[in-house]
Amino acid sequence: MSTAIGSWADAGDEFSAPPEIIVNPDGTKTVITFRTNQDGKKVKITQKIREIKVEEKVHPLVALRKNWKKYGKEKNSPPGPDTSTTQLGEKVELKLGLSWKQVEKKEEEEKAQERASKIAVQTIKCRTCGGDHYTAKCPFKDTLGVSTETNQTTPEPSSTQDSSSSQPGRYVPRHLRPDAQGNVQSKEARDDSSTLRISQLNSFVDEDMIRNELLARFGPLQRVTVVRNKESGESRGFAYVTFATEEIAQKALDLLNGKGYHSLILHLEWSKKKKT
Amino acid sequence: MAMRPIKLMGHERSLTQVKYNREGDLLFSVAKDNAASIWFSSNGERLGTLEGHQGVIWSIDVDPETNLCATGGGDLAIKLWKVETGQCVFTWESPSPVRRVAFSSDGKRLLAIADQVMGHIGTISVYDLKTNESDFNNQDIKPSLIIETDQNNSKSNVANFTQDGKFIISGLDNGYVNKYDSNTGELIQSIQAHGIHTEEKNISITDIQFAPEDKSYFITSSKDKTATLIDVESFEILKVYKADAPMNTAAITPVKDFVILGGGQEARNVTTTAESQGKFEARFYHKIFEEEIGRVKGHFGPLNTVAVHPNGAGYASGGEDGFIRVHEFEKSYFDFLFDAERSEKAAASGNI
């Protein structure tokens, strides 16, 4: 029956030339055919075939019944199975064993997971980077997160309840307003893990001196702020410096703490107490 | 292992019974449409259809020589057919719808169950057959024996002859299995096989099939979600197989010590649940250890009938979905052994 049903699979191929058949001395046959493949290229196919005759013994009654004429609805049907009533089904599994339940359960769970992940891919889209995870779990949250989020939310304030800064008609304090790059300077948002507080600075030391002199070899520095008197603008003798990484900050702290700089002995410490 | 079943789609409505002949080369099927089909089991080619019934055909059986086959239907007819030509050679009238027909092992007698409806008391009728080809259409109209199965107002659903033809085993609507003398109709033994293992309310027996080797024991399936193995001689329950859905059919496999159960949720509830929850699988149990060892999916309705190839090489199942699926077992099926069996085998070979 497989030939009757499977024959259509070969029917689509167009043979340009009759196959060349070579009979090998060991009883096998080599069949060489040329056909055009999907890309329109001519392909040479060499098949080595060994013919095996399988003799099957059947009950004489069975052999007799094989030759019975068809009747009823099949009266005028040609020999061989009719594809309208007889088809090969999908493969089905029969795993014998006492653990079949666990095996099946596991498979079903895997399928369910796969399905769930597919749904997740379709529905979850990170607002920060566009990846298939929740925005809160975005690995680029610290670098991209805040800016894109606020950029997106500012033009359509109606949809943002999470950011109080963009609600219309409400006063937003200066330090909570986004800066030119759209960064909201909030205490919570700022990452101070790589920030050092440098005190005992001489009053004439400014940001440029810290950047280019004192901490030149630990650069580039993310942020340098010298704290000044609001009225006179005079330095109060300490500054906050954010390093690129925590390791560099640690290095700077180890090297410079207790060293002299412009007549004064520097004191460096973490700007925030580290969580231990 | 993966099997590639042959799907037979010759019926328009749900299957009611499938049956192999003695050699297993032909598969007989009846459904709730009005034509029986006969198929070559090896390739699924249909030999023909038996046309003549007016409505649902509930049951089919074939004699050992595959000369005659009998069908019984809801149109109050028992029909005898010549398998070779598909001609109906004789028709008996039944007082009520025919639920089951079965030949005796020698093919000389035919039993037919008339359902307990339309004011008729449920009966099992036994007809003596004339098996000479010239007398095919000259059968006795009257049955040689009528057994009234109205025991405690419960009817007989299924029945079959024992190997020697002395007894008729019948499964009842109330979960009992009866053994009658097939010559006198006398009730010899009765046992409650169903309704005692589970709390189910519907304990109707849905199928009886004998062990293929010697018919010395048989399996019954029931709506009470169990199947039982019962010895013909002692009439005791040997084994109980518990399932999680009402069972419509059960069969014993030759070669391997398995039984196959088929069933699933009631047909009327099918539309309300997902396919995966309907439990529409053929279940394989180990005959001796009573453990479920595997399932075969494929149908998308309950299994109404299962038949095992006489040489144990495969099985066929007919479902409420209107399809017959013919499976051929692969090598791993025959290789499968329980740990206990394996160690026993190893011990036996070690001793020799």
Side-chain angles (χ1 to χ4, degrees), chain A residues 1 62 65-66 68 70-74 80 85-87 89-98 100, chain B residues 1 3-5 7 9 21 23 25 38 43-49 66 83 85-86 292-293 295:
Chain A
M1 72 166 298
V62 175
R65 289 197 280 263
K66 284 253 179 205
W68 280 357
K70 292 185 179 185
Y71 49 80
K73 279 179 193 151
E74 302 286 338
T85 57
T86 307
Q87 282 179 9
E90 299 279 304
K91 271 188 184 172
V92 288
E93 292 283 326
L94 174 58
K95 295 185 202 99
L96 292 176
L98 286 173
W100 70 271
Chain B
M1 80 185 201
M3 298 183 289
R4 197 90 197 267
K7 208 165 131 185
M9 302 171 291
N21 65 345
E23 286 79 28
D25 61 320
I38 302 172
N43 64 355
E45 185 177 354
R46 182 152 72 172
L47 171 63
T49 54
T66 321
V83 182
T85 59
E292 188 172 353
I293 50 171
R295 287 190 182 187

Side-chain angles (χ1 to χ4, degrees), chain B residues 55-337:
Chain B
V56 36
I57 309 175
W58 287 112
S59 181
I60 190 164
D61 198 14
V62 57
D63 77 2
E65 304 298 324
T66 321
N67 288 327
L68 291 170
C69 89
T71 54
D75 57 350
L76 314 186
I78 305 158
K79 283 180 181 288
L80 204 60
W81 311 79
K82 205 173 165 212
V83 182
E84 185 181 350
T85 59
Q87 296 295 313
C88 178
V89 291
F90 199 80
T91 302
W92 289 277
E93 277 178 26
S94 171
S96 69
V98 184
R99 302 299 299 205
R100 186 59 74 117
V101 290
F103 281 97
S104 62
S105 299
D106 59 4
K108 289 184 172 154
R109 284 188 293 174
L110 177 75
L111 71 77
I113 295 179
D115 203 356
Q116 185 172 297
V117 288
M118 303 155 61
H120 176 74
I121 295 169
T123 54
I124 303 172
S125 305
V126 179
Y127 299 91
D128 289 333
L129 298 176
K130 290 174 183 162
T131 50
N132 289 329
E133 185 144 3
S134 52
D135 291 330
F136 274 173
N137 44 19
N138 193 22
Q139 307 288 348
D140 286 329
I141 293 170
K142 288 217 180 254
S144 60
L145 176 70
I146 295 176
I147 305 169
E148 287 192 1
T149 58
D150 179 22
Q151 181 214 41
N152 305 326
N153 283 321
S154 193
K155 60 181 181 179
S156 176
N157 284 336
V158 287
N160 211 335
F161 286 99
T162 56
Q163 175 71 22
D164 52 12
K166 276 187 190 163
F167 307 110
I168 291 169
I169 307 288
S170 175
L172 274 67
D173 214 31
N174 62 359
Y176 277 77
V177 179
N178 288 351
K179 182 157 98 178
Y180 301 98
D181 187 306
S182 71
N183 292 313
T184 63
E186 185 193 345
L187 176 64
I188 295 165
Q189 272 166 314
S190 184
I191 184 174
Q192 184 170 13
H194 292 281
I196 47 176
H197 316 292
T198 55
E199 303 287 308
E200 296 299 315
K201 286 207 178 80
N202 189 349
I203 54 174
S204 170
I205 293 177
T206 50
D207 198 9
I208 281 187
Q209 291 196 31
F210 280 92
E213 289 89 6
D214 54 0
K215 290 176 97 175
S216 65
Y217 57 97
F218 57 88
I219 190 165
T220 64
S221 66
S222 165
K223 293 284 185 193
D224 77 346
K225 303 186 177 175
T226 65
T228 60
L229 211 62
I230 297 172
D231 185 64
V232 172
E233 186 64 38
S234 68
F235 226 58
E236 279 169 2
I237 297 173
L238 304 172
K239 301 285 175 190
V240 179
Y241 310 99
K242 289 186 179 169
D244 52 2
M247 287 294 117
N248 296 330
T249 179
I252 303 166
T253 62
V255 185
K256 298 298 286 183
D257 282 333
F258 301 151
V259 297
I260 306 174
L261 269 54
Q265 199 175 42
E266 293 287 339
R268 62 173 176 269
N269 297 330
V270 165
T271 51
T272 60
T273 39
E275 184 198 339
S276 57
Q277 290 165 358
K279 307 178 172 93
F280 309 137
E281 294 133 332
R283 298 121 197 279
F284 286 72
Y285 284 72
H286 197 280
K287 187 166 75 185
I288 292 147
F289 296 104
E290 301 174 325
E291 294 270 9
E292 188 172 353
I293 50 171
R295 287 190 182 187
V296 174
K297 289 181 183 168
H299 284 284
F300 42 92
L303 270 75
N304 287 342
T305 173
V306 162
V308 183
H309 195 288
N311 68 12
Y315 79 98
S317 57
E320 187 73 17
D321 57 6
F323 298 128
I324 306 165
R325 296 172 72 88
V326 185
H327 305 76
E328 200 170 326
F329 295 130
E330 289 195 343
K331 191 174 173 290
S332 65
Y333 167 87
F334 299 101
D335 292 343
F336 176 79
L337 286 175

Side-chain angles (χ1 to χ4, degrees), chain A residues 237-262:
Chain A
F238 62 98
Y240 291 96
V241 179
T242 305
F243 292 82
T245 65
E246 212 175 312
E247 285 86 62
I248 296 172
Q250 181 69 52
K251 220 188 239 173
L253 188 139
D254 293 344
L255 270 168
L256 295 174
N257 196 14
K259 297 279 157 60
Y261 182 62
H262 288 286

Side-chain angles (χ1 to χ4, degrees), chain A residues 133-176:
Chain A
H133 47 254
Y134 290 106
T135 308
K137 287 179 182 166
C138 182
F140 310 109
K141 182 171 61 176
D142 299 332
T143 50
L144 297 168
V146 193
S147 64
T148 43
E149 191 177 346
T150 41
N151 275 348
Q152 275 177 354
T153 51
T154 346
E156 33 176 359
S158 59
S159 65
T160 54
Q161 269 118 39
D162 52 339
S163 171
S164 58
S165 60
S166 56
Q167 275 180 2
R170 199 178 145 185
Y171 174 73
V172 180
R174 182 83 187 93
H175 69 278
L176 289 177

